[in-house]
Amino acid sequence: MKRLSRKQIMIIIGLLAFYAVTNFMINKNIIDSYLQLNMIVIGINIILAVSLNLITGFTGQFSLGHAAFMSIGAYTSAILTANFGQPFILSIVLSGAAAAIAGILIGVPTLRLKGDYLAIATLGFGEIVRILALNIDYIGGAIGFNDIPQYTNWTWTFILTAATIVLIYNFINSYHGRACAAIREDEIAAEIMGVNATYYKVLAFAMGAFFAGIAGALYANYFYFIKPDSFGFMKSIDILVIVVFGGMKSIAGSIVGAIVLTIISSFLQGIPELRMIIYSLILFGIMIYRPTGLIGDDKFIIGKKKRRSI
Amino acid sequence: MPVLKVNNLTKTFGGISAVTDVSLDIEAGEIIGIIGPNGAGKTTFFNLLTGLYSPNSGDIIYNLDSKITTHDLKPHKITHYGISRTFQNIRLFQNMSVMDNVLIGFHSELKYGVFCALFRLPSYFKSENEIYKKTDRLLDRLNLLDKKYELAKNLPYGDQRKLEIARALAANPKILLLDEPAAGMNPRETRELMNLIKWIKDEFRLTVILIEHDMSLVMNICERIFVFDYGNLIASGTPEEVQQNKKVVKAYLGEEVE
Ligand SMILES: Nc1ncnc2c1ncn2[C@@H]1O[C@H](COP(=O)(O)OP(=O)(O)OP(=O)(O)O)[C@@H](O)[C@H]1O
Ligand SMILES: [Mg+2]
């Protein structure tokens, strides 16, 4: 295992080139604001999907409350930037931290639950967060939070998306990540081999929440305006759909899934009913023809056929 | 000083007593066999020894690097103490490679923090390189190296049992508990397993405690045998002694013998 393999160096160069080109095109107005909006939404969705994949795909903890963590991050950043005039970088970090703390608080009691029970508990958590937000006047209640400064731009989105991918990839390819995978495969065997399952489940949950919180901050500071219903149950399902569509246990899958589904849903923006139908059809298709998701599993990660030096 | 001492251990499930008032001593370096009819409480005994169940009464005392008593026995801590086990119904990480299964066996040896992992600080590379080398060496010694990248679930049955032993050995135990390692193996595989157990015992300086129904294996390699029946420890001794024991014959044949 070397510091950087040749392939990784190529990826880094590719990413830098991609950023340079897109940024140049934005400055020259070749990429218009509508396209830029979609690029930013794709970035946010990638962060959400990859972070949920850490919880659900890699660690095997079925969560239906991911949008709630996004919501906590979004409101934290809105308060910090709009009400307290804090710099964006600080508010991003604190948004992630706030969501992570919520992840620990909800994770400690619920993560001993399995499968369906955990799904219901996380669903309930998501609703609690939404209803709390609806009833707190300080953050606008049902009317929503207005006049959030627009700090999010393509550069922030690109950097944070890339950082999320790299950090979660690194985590997964460490013994901590292997411990999470072992819990998914067989919790009792994992414990017997020395893995503290409770610790790792809460850790994965908190990390996933952290990045979802960052996605929330990007969202809030891009759209000026947030309201509790933007982060409801359906948003959590949307994120889960991306993960399942792209492939559980596949970071590449979550990236491709976020890109494809964001583009599809942007085309169907005007007709939300049709969007749900098409989403369902896509899911049916995936489940029937590629149950492991678009990219299958493990393309990027442990268990792969040939392990290059990382 | 015995490496493992069990005093009056009892475990009940609802009405039934799966392990009843069992006391025994095990010395370091022995190969111990535990036999008994189905439902005798052998696996329950292992689950008590590894913290998966907590006893209703009685004590378990390990004299390893330090003295480990019943309340220290949390499942995720036993490898830290030097205790490692396999399962009767193989519990591999099915969708992970042979290599990853063994890598997880090294979990308690790895120390670098989450921060090191996220940012790939030097200690990450150092530890991981070391562990990958150790994994290769262990797989090589157990003749599994050529299957390194195969998924655990795709291995033939005998290799799955062997991989579970490899994973247990990766934790660098002093005491190895094997729950029916020969179950489902053909006679040739059983013979190989017998040699393997003898070999790892010397090579890794282990105390081995194994549950087994295959009498040829037990009588061949175990220095001492404990016999369970309906949760009770009914006999113990060398293979010859146990074979002569009337209670044992009765437990197995289920009838009075003259
Ligand atoms: N978790 C449990 N809950 C309830 N009863 C249990 C549990 N585990 C074991 N038992 C019961 O305890 C008794 C002993 O079971 P155990 O699995 O220890 O037997 P064993 O000696 O390993 O048998 P075998 O040779 O079939 O593996 C059985 O009656 C079993 O039904
Ligand atoms: Mg058993």
Side-chain angles (χ1 to χ4, degrees):
Chain A
M1 214 184 300
K2 287 171 294 183
R3 291 288 139 102
L4 284 174
S5 69
R6 170 175 267 165
K7 187 169 170 196
Q8 282 173 316
I9 293 170
M10 296 304 286
I11 289 176
I12 291 170
I13 293 174
L15 280 174
L16 288 176
F18 176 73
Y19 172 71
V21 170
T22 47
N23 209 35
F24 174 80
M25 288 164 82
I26 287 168
N27 288 336
K28 291 275 176 256
N29 262 324
I30 305 170
I31 292 177
D32 62 12
S33 61
Y34 177 70
L35 192 53
Q36 198 187 335
L37 175 138
N38 278 303
M39 284 159 59
I40 286 171
V41 173
I42 285 173
I44 292 172
N45 283 339
I46 290 176
I47 296 175
L48 290 168
V50 172
S51 60
L52 179 62
N53 208 341
L54 172 65
I55 298 172
T56 298
F58 291 103
T59 317
Q61 307 304 307
F62 197 56
S63 169
L64 286 176
H66 213 53
F69 296 126
M70 183 189 183
S71 155
I72 290 166
Y75 276 103
T76 306
S77 187
I79 294 167
L80 287 171
T81 54
N83 295 3
F84 293 96
Q86 294 300 316
F88 193 35
I89 177 91
L90 178 71
S91 107
I92 286 171
V93 174
L94 291 180
S95 300
I101 290 168
I104 293 170
L105 291 180
I106 170 77
V108 169
T110 57
L111 283 169
R112 68 190 70 216
L113 303 172
K114 304 233 181 316
D116 308 348
Y117 299 103
L118 179 63
I120 290 166
T122 51
L123 184 98
F125 164 70
E127 282 303 283
I128 289 169
V129 169
R130 189 178 66 87
I131 289 165
L132 275 179
L134 278 174
N135 288 291
I136 299 174
D137 290 336
Y138 179 69
I139 55 171
I143 303 157
F145 198 127
N146 261 307
D147 299 325
I148 306 164
Q150 192 191 42
Y151 292 143
T152 303
N153 54 23
W154 173 236
T155 303
W156 278 114
T157 309
F158 181 85
I159 291 171
L160 290 172
T161 305
T164 303
I165 294 167
V166 169
L167 292 178
I168 291 183
Y169 175 87
N170 285 352
F171 178 81
I172 285 163
N173 287 288
S174 71
Y175 81 99
H176 302 293
R178 290 193 295 266
C180 291
I183 292 168
R184 174 194 72 221
E185 291 293 315
D186 188 326
E187 194 170 329
I188 289 178
E191 286 248 328
I192 285 293
M193 293 325 299
V195 173
N196 184 343
T198 311
Y199 168 79
Y200 277 107
K201 284 198 270 186
V202 173
L203 178 66
F205 215 62
M207 274 181 64
F210 179 85
F211 290 108
I214 286 180
L218 284 174
Y219 181 93
N221 290 84
Y222 187 71
F223 289 102
Y224 317 98
F225 167 71
I226 52 175
K227 62 180 195 304
D229 290 334
S230 316
F231 311 106
F233 170 61
M234 281 320 291
K235 182 63 189 172
S236 291
I237 295 288
D238 272 356
I239 305 166
L240 188 64
V241 167
I242 296 175
V243 173
V244 174
F245 175 81
M248 299 267 221
K249 299 189 275 170
S250 167
I251 291 182
S254 289
I255 298 169
V256 174
I259 295 171
V260 171
L261 290 181
T262 309
I263 291 172
I264 290 177
S265 76
S266 118
F267 277 120
L268 301 172
Q269 199 98 69
I271 23 178
E273 304 80 11
L274 192 57
R275 175 168 167 268
M276 283 327 290
I277 293 172
I278 293 195
Y279 254 53
S280 316
L281 288 178
I282 289 172
L283 273 189
F284 268 127
I286 284 281
M287 285 303 149
I288 292 167
Y289 295 107
R290 279 195 74 87
T292 52
L294 213 56
I295 313 274
D297 60 5
D298 290 1
K299 182 95 199 276
F300 233 54
I301 156 84
I302 42 179
K304 64 193 153 198
K305 284 271 147 34
K306 288 276 178 296
R307 180 184 276 269
R308 299 163 280 105
S309 52
I310 348 178
Chain B
M1 202 164 39
V3 68
L4 168 61
K5 191 168 175 57
V6 173
N7 295 328
N8 308 98
L9 198 65
T10 297
K11 176 72 186 171
T12 59
F13 295 108
I16 54 161
S17 184
V19 170
T20 314
D21 203 26
V22 168
S23 300
L24 51 80
D25 285 1
I26 287 169
E27 299 295 329
E30 288 187 294
I31 299 188
I32 298 291
I34 294 181
I35 62 171
N38 291 112
K42 307 179 295 293
T43 298
T44 305
F45 184 60
F46 266 22
N47 289 345
L48 289 165
L49 291 182
T50 51
L52 285 174
Y53 297 155
S54 44
N56 297 71
S57 59
D59 299 305
I60 299 164
I61 300 151
Y62 289 99
N63 291 301
L64 294 157
D65 289 337
S66 58
K67 188 170 157 179
I68 310 299
T69 52
T70 323
H71 67 270
D72 303 320
L73 288 176
K74 299 261 170 4
H76 71 267
K77 290 192 177 152
I78 62 161
T79 54
H80 294 268
Y81 302 145
I83 308 156
S84 199
R85 72 171 284 182
T86 65
F87 295 89
Q88 180 172 356
N89 45 343
I90 305 175
R91 296 192 91 125
L92 287 169
F93 306 119
Q94 299 280 346
N95 295 303
M96 297 169 78
S97 68
V98 167
M99 175 177 69
D100 283 331
N101 269 272
V102 174
L103 281 169
I104 288 167
F106 286 104
H107 183 84
S108 45
E109 189 176 320
L110 285 157
K111 293 285 183 283
Y112 65 85
V114 173
F115 190 80
C116 281
L118 290 175
F119 295 96
R120 301 221 161 166
L121 303 182
S123 64
Y124 164 85
F125 291 99
K126 191 167 159 288
S127 313
E128 288 286 301
N129 277 329
E130 223 166 80
I131 273 349
Y132 274 86
K133 274 192 213 120
K134 284 189 181 177
T135 299
D136 274 5
R137 210 178 314 138
L138 186 57
L139 286 173
D140 193 23
R141 287 160 97 184
L142 293 185
N143 285 324
L144 287 167
L145 192 56
D146 52 330
K147 310 216 161 111
K148 187 173 162 182
Y149 297 111
E150 287 194 30
L151 292 186
K153 65 177 175 193
N154 295 336
L155 291 185
Y157 197 74
D159 281 346
Q160 293 198 13
R161 289 244 176 247
K162 210 154 80 176
L163 175 56
E164 223 194 356
I165 294 175
R167 185 181 69 181
L169 286 174
N172 193 22
K174 300 202 171 59
I175 300 183
L176 180 63
L177 309 175
L178 303 171
D179 197 346
E180 302 201 16
M185 287 190 171
N186 62 36
R188 186 181 56 77
E189 287 173 323
T190 305
R191 260 196 315 280
E192 281 173 17
L193 177 75
M194 225 157 13
N195 293 330
L196 178 73
I197 293 172
K198 276 194 267 193
W199 179 75
I200 58 172
K201 184 217 145 188
D202 293 333
E203 189 75 9
F204 295 84
R205 299 168 189 283
L206 298 171
T207 306
V208 178
I209 309 175
L210 60 89
I211 296 173
E212 193 44 73
H213 283 297
D214 187 314
M215 287 306 145
S216 68
L217 184 146
V218 176
M219 297 303 163
N220 249 304
I221 66 171
C222 295
E223 291 145 70
R224 278 202 301 149
I225 294 171
F226 293 100
V227 189
F228 280 57
D229 190 28
Y230 290 113
N232 296 294
L233 179 62
I234 58 165
S236 65
T238 62
E240 295 73 32
E241 287 166 4
V242 163
Q243 271 167 318
Q244 321 266 301
N245 190 304
K246 293 210 168 110
K247 281 196 219 153
V248 177
V249 178
K250 187 177 143 193
Y252 271 92
L253 300 180
E255 60 187 46
E256 289 289 343
V257 279
E258 308 296 323

